[in-house]
Every structure is written in C-alpha cells, then in structure tokens.
C-alpha cells in the first residue's frame, strides 16, 4: 500500500513538472555528470575520462581518479607549458563523441524545452534535439576570451537553444579548462564582459522561470557563485535538482542544502538519470500535450493573432511582401496599406487611427533606400509609433514592445530608433527571430491581461 501511494505521488510530481515544461518557462540545466559515452556501460562522466587521459599524457604518478578536470588540465599545462597542446588534446577527446548522443538525452529532447544550459562542452544534448522530428536546435556558448560566438535567435520549443556555459569543444579558445581559466571566466561573468546573450539572459532572469537541474554538481562552489551572478535564484517556482551519489556523500552536502533554502529554494533528490528521463518523457506523452508551434499556442491562449504594421520605403515593396508572407505563415497578421486602405480615404488621418488603435506592433524596415531618403511618410509613421511605444506597460520589469526596428542589407539605424534592439532579418534565422520576438511579447501581453482580470 505504501509503495502504491509513493508511486502515485511520484507520478503526480512528474505531471506537475511536465505542466511547467509545457508552459515554456522551465529551463533544463545539465551538469557534467550526465555527459557520458553512449557505449560506456559504467556511465563514467566525460570530464572524468578526460582528466585521466590528460594525466596519463604527462605520466602523473598519483591516482588520476582523485583529481578534477580543472586540476588535471592545470597540471598538464604547468608540466608542458603549451596551451596549444592542451587544447588539441581536449578537442581530440571530444571529437570522438562529436556526433553521438544517448537515450537519456533523446528522452529529454522530446519535451518542449526552449533553453538548455549545459555545464559540459559536448554536443550530446544538441544532437538529441537535432534527431527529434520538428526541431532545429541552436548551439551557443560563452567565451571569457574576446572571440566571436554564434548568433542566436529567440528560442522556441521547435528551435531550442543549447547554451554551453564553459565553452564548446569546437572553439578551443572558449573552453574553461585550467584553474586560471576558471578564475578568468568568473571575473568575466561578474563584469558582464562579455555579457551572456539576451536570448539566454532574459529567460534566466524571468521571475516566472523554473529550473530542472540534472547532475549539475552543486557541491562545487564556483557553480553556486555562477548561478548567483546569473540571477537564477529567487524565482517564484522552486527548482528541482537531481544529483548523483557523489553529491549526497560529499562532506559539504548539508551546508549546500542549507544554502539553497528560503529565497534560494532548491529541492535536492537522488535519482537514476536514465530512469528519470524515460519517466518524464512518458508523463509528457501521457499528458497529450504535443508540442505546437508558438503561433498556435499564442492564438489559443489569447483568442486572436497579433496584427503588425510595416513601415517602409516604397522602393522596398517587394521585400515587404516577402516578409509579410513569412510572418503570416508564423501566425502574425499584417495590416496592408494597399488592401486595407479604401480609395479616397485621407492617409494621414487613417495613419493615426491605424497605428494608435488598430495594430498591435509596428515593424520599421530599415534599408539603404530608407536611410538615403530626405523625406518620406515613414517618418510620420515612426513618430506616431514611438508615441504609442512610450505608453506601453511593463511586464515583470521589462517594457512591452510596440516598435520593432529591423535591418535589411548593409545599412545603419535611424537615430530615432537607436535606443531599441534591432533585428537583422537578412541574417540566418533573422525572419524567424522577428516572428519569435513578436510572439513572445504577445504571450507576455496575454499573461499581463490575464493577471489583471484575475486581480479584478
């Protein structure tokens, strides 16, 4: 009887976790403990295997299993005095699993996570998302050294971001390997130079976000500092952390559990990774909540599709019609000046009415042609739109969007729009990034309106 009640309780908890994931505000955080070779029956973490390999390369006389990867890399570098050799050794190691993934990662990839944070430089989670039908994952990583990192579009369940905090093996300069690297990395994170991309930071800092940590390794002090700097603590929903026996047998376990209480509440649980991921995937399948395009989810929750107005120079009409088709396919209607303006109507009077009262967003298509014009009706459109933007409400500390500048081709920015974030729609995934930006803001408006009605 007691076993039956426990199983029922665990199933309810899984269903509750699935609901948070389905809402789109649950961040998956994977630690190095779950990064293993798919053909390794002992499931030894990759960072442990790499540490042993580095120590063998310098004929380390001690016990290689007792040393962390940071310590092993630090010793390797001090013995050889060759950072290039260290980077090559690490890259060669991870290249052996570059195209691999595991059933554990495949089960997690079935769920509609928008963002996965990885504390390991492997591609196991990315590969699992890529294998999943209907998903085109994005790969991003932090680099404490000044290098160009991948550009990211706004994440969605069908285009999740896998973001590697400690760099990725494909770019050796991004890797945090030695103890010295770790200190430099933490300093860079604290200073925000470089900053974590907005697409990642905005989700982590959202008070509504919840977190699912698996094998993160909270016994490591620097991980606790890292999460504090990234504003992960203090959210409305408590976080759940599944750790291995190494954490629960660690002498500082009680101190760590005490630290994560009150405003920093994290519930720690021991669990088998593969079993948990399989059960979570099963609960998701049983819920009947298959992933849906962001547009369908927004339309279902709000009862309508967002309506956008595009301000542009007449020379760019063909590009506008192309963009209109892409937006409409993603669930965003576009107010069209030729079809929606009856002949003989006064344009200026109707311009004010449309921008102030009818449309939900104004997209400003900035091009070389627009910036070279000495005058144009788009200046009036932008002026009217900025007035309405100034009256937009805030949601969870951020102002809702109304004016959305985009760039097409090699051109600058109109000075009136310089304070707003611009989206390059000619960049890879640029049009999707624009659609995602509108749909995400529309979702926030829906939540704000629902909250206001509940209070009333």
């Amino acid at each position: 009887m007691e076993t039956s009640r426990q199983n029922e309780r665990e199933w309810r908890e899984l269903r509750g976790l699935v609901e948070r994931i389905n809402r789109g505000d649950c961040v998956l955080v994977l630690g190095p403990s779950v990064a293993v070779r798919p053909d390794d029956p002992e499931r030894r973490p990759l960072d442990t295997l790499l540490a042993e390999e580095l120590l063998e390369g310098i004929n380390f006389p001690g016990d290689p299993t007792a040393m962390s990867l940071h310590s092993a890399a630090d010793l390797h570098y001090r013995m050889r005095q060759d950072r290039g050799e260290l980077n090559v050794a690490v890259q060669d190691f991870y290249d052996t699993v570059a195209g691999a993934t595991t059933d554990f990662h495949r089960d997690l990839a079935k769920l509609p996570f928008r963002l996965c944070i990885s504390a390991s430089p492997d591609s196991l989670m990315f590969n699992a998302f890529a294998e999943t039908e209907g998903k085109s994952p994005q790969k991003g990583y932090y680099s404490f050294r000044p290098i160009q990192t991948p550009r990211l579009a706004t994440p969605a369940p069908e285009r999740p971001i896998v973001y590697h905090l400690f760099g990725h093996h494909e770019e050796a300069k991004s890797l945090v390997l030695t103890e010295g690297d770790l200190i430099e990395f933490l300093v860079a994170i604290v200073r925000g130079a470089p900053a974590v991309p907005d697409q990642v930071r905005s989700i982590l800092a959202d008070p509504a976000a919840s977190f699912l940590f698996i094998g993160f390794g909270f016994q490591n002090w620097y991980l606790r500092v890292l999460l504090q700097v990234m504003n992960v603590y203090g959210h409305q929903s408590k976080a759940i952390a599944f750790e291995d026996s190494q954490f629960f047998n660690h002498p500082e376990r009680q101190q760590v559990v005490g630290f994560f209480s009150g405003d920093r509440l994290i519930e720690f649980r021991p669990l088998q990774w593969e079993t948990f991921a399989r059960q979570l995937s099963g609960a998701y399948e049983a819920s009947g909540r298959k992933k849906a395009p962001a547009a369908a989810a927004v339309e279902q929750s709000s009862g309508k599709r967002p309506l956008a107005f595009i301000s542009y120079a007449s020379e760019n009409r063909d590009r506008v019609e192309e963009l209109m088709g892409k937006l409409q396919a993603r669930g965003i209607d576009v107010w069209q000046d030729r079809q929606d303006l009856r002949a003989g109507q006064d344009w200026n009077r109707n311009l004010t009415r449309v921008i102030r009262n009818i449309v939900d967003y104004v997209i400003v298509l900035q091009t070389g042609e627009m910036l070279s014009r000495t005058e144009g009706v788009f200046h009036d459109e932008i002026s009217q739109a900025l007035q309405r933007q100034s009256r937009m409400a805030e949601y969870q500390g951020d102002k809702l969007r109304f004016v959305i500048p985009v760039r097409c081709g090699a051109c600058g920015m109109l000075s009136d729009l310089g304070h707003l974030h611009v989206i390059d729609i000619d960049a890879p995934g640029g049009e999707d990034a624009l659609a995602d930006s509108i749909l995400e803001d529309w979702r926030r408006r829906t939540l704000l309106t629902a909250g206001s009605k509940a209070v009333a």
Side-chain angles (χ1 to χ4, degrees):
M1 180 68 70
E2 181 61 30
T3 301
S4 177
R5 283 198 296 267
Q6 181 178 352
N7 291 339
E8 184 178 349
R9 185 169 58 251
E10 291 176 352
W11 181 249
R12 284 199 303 268
E13 290 177 348
L14 281 173
R15 288 170 57 195
L17 181 55
V18 166
E19 279 302 308
R20 291 199 293 275
I21 296 171
N22 274 322
R23 287 200 303 265
D25 54 17
C26 185
V27 179
L28 176 63
V29 187
L30 300 180
S33 296
V34 298
V36 300
R37 295 185 186 277
D39 57 352
D40 181 5
E42 297 182 9
R43 295 295 189 263
R44 299 186 67 199
L46 294 176
D47 65 342
T48 299
L49 298 176
L50 174 57
E52 294 177 6
E53 187 172 302
L54 291 176
L55 293 173
E56 289 174 3
I58 57 174
N59 297 317
F60 179 66
D63 180 9
T65 63
M67 190 171 290
S68 69
L69 175 58
H70 292 308
S71 298
D74 204 62
L75 184 59
H76 186 284
Y77 177 66
R78 285 190 281 113
M79 291 284 292
R80 296 295 181 88
Q81 292 294 306
D82 190 337
R83 179 58 191 242
E85 181 182 339
L86 174 61
N87 289 344
V88 169
V90 172
Q91 286 187 307
D92 286 349
F93 174 85
Y94 280 106
D95 280 346
T96 62
V97 291
T101 190
T102 71
D103 289 339
F104 163 80
H105 294 88
R106 291 187 182 97
D107 282 330
L108 292 177
K110 297 175 184 176
L111 287 103
F113 290 106
R114 290 190 297 153
L115 174 64
C116 171
I117 300 293
S118 176
S120 179
D122 62 85
S123 294
L124 294 170
M125 193 67 230
F126 178 88
N127 294 338
F129 277 130
E131 287 184 7
T132 304
E133 183 180 359
K135 295 196 177 186
S136 300
Q138 307 175 68
K139 182 186 300 177
Y141 52 82
Y142 187 83
S143 176
F144 65 96
R145 296 185 176 92
I147 61 173
Q148 186 173 0
T149 54
R151 298 181 61 176
L152 300 173
T154 303
E158 65 271 18
R159 194 169 58 259
I161 290 177
V162 181
Y163 191 75
H164 300 268
L165 281 178
F166 298 97
H168 194 269
H169 71 92
E170 292 175 350
E171 177 48 77
K173 290 183 178 179
S174 70
L175 293 172
V176 179
L177 297 176
T178 67
E179 301 282 1
D181 290 347
L182 181 58
I183 298 300
E184 288 186 50
F185 163 79
L186 290 174
V187 169
I189 285 284
V190 170
R191 290 179 175 175
V196 175
D198 290 342
Q199 294 85 348
V200 174
R201 183 163 48 85
S202 62
I203 295 178
L204 297 180
D206 189 340
S210 59
F211 294 85
L212 173 60
F213 297 91
I214 306 181
F216 195 57
F218 278 95
Q219 68 271 18
N220 295 304
W221 65 269
Y222 60 87
L223 292 177
R224 304 197 292 272
V225 172
L226 175 62
L227 296 181
Q228 177 73 50
V229 173
M230 298 179 70
N231 297 317
V232 169
Y233 304 139
H235 289 72
Q236 297 169 359
S237 301
K238 73 177 180 181
I240 301 175
F242 295 104
E243 292 283 0
D244 57 16
S245 58
Q246 183 180 1
F247 170 80
F248 287 95
N249 296 331
H250 198 276
E252 295 183 6
R253 180 180 68 87
Q254 290 298 336
Q255 179 182 347
V256 173
V257 173
F259 178 81
F260 291 106
S261 60
D263 292 339
R264 296 186 295 263
L265 180 59
I266 296 180
E267 182 178 340
F268 291 93
R269 299 182 187 179
L271 202 66
Q272 290 283 338
W273 314 139
E274 291 86 353
T275 301
F276 168 71
R278 186 165 57 250
Q279 291 174 338
L280 187 62
S281 174
Y284 173 63
E285 295 289 339
S287 73
R289 294 278 303 274
K290 301 296 184 181
K291 64 180 184 300
V298 166
E299 186 173 353
Q300 181 180 11
S301 62
S302 66
K304 58 175 283 192
R305 291 155 58 109
L307 178 63
F309 175 96
I310 302 179
S311 179
Y312 62 96
S314 58
E315 295 93 330
N316 303 126
R317 178 69 195 184
D318 289 344
R319 184 66 178 93
V320 169
E321 291 182 347
E322 179 185 349
L323 179 60
M324 285 166 50
K326 296 291 180 62
L327 292 176
Q328 289 169 342
R330 290 293 307 274
I332 300 166
D333 292 329
V334 180
W335 192 93
Q336 303 176 53
D337 53 4
R338 287 182 179 176
Q339 289 92 331
D340 296 341
L341 183 63
R342 291 192 297 272
Q345 288 184 323
D346 180 77
W347 169 247
N348 289 327
R349 177 167 55 84
N350 280 279
L351 168 66
T352 300
R353 179 180 62 87
V354 168
I355 293 179
R356 288 187 177 181
N357 303 315
I358 295 181
V359 299
D360 303 299
Y361 298 93
V362 169
I363 301 167
V364 182
L365 181 66
Q366 297 170 105
T367 62
E369 290 81 7
M370 173 180 279
L371 271 65
S372 65
R373 294 270 292 272
T374 57
E375 61 180 72
V377 72
F378 55 80
H379 288 298
D380 292 331
E381 296 167 354
I382 294 169
S383 177
Q384 294 284 351
L386 288 173
Q387 288 182 36
R388 183 169 170 187
Q389 175 69 71
S390 68
R391 298 192 298 270
M392 297 300 292
E394 288 189 356
Y395 178 74
Q396 296 181 344
D398 291 327
K399 207 170 184 65
L400 295 173
R401 303 191 73 176
F402 179 69
V403 180
I404 304 179
V406 301
R407 179 188 292 120
C408 178
C411 68
M413 282 276 290
L414 292 169
S415 58
D416 289 344
L417 305 176
H419 63 292
L420 298 174
H421 175 65
V422 64
I423 298 172
D424 184 353
I425 61 171
D426 280 350
E431 291 171 332
D432 285 333
L434 171 59
D436 289 339
S437 179
I438 293 173
L439 293 172
E440 174 61 21
D441 186 88
W442 190 246
R443 183 185 71 88
R444 290 158 62 86
R445 292 192 193 187
T446 303
L447 293 174
L448 178 62
T449 301
S452 301
K453 290 179 179 178
V455 170

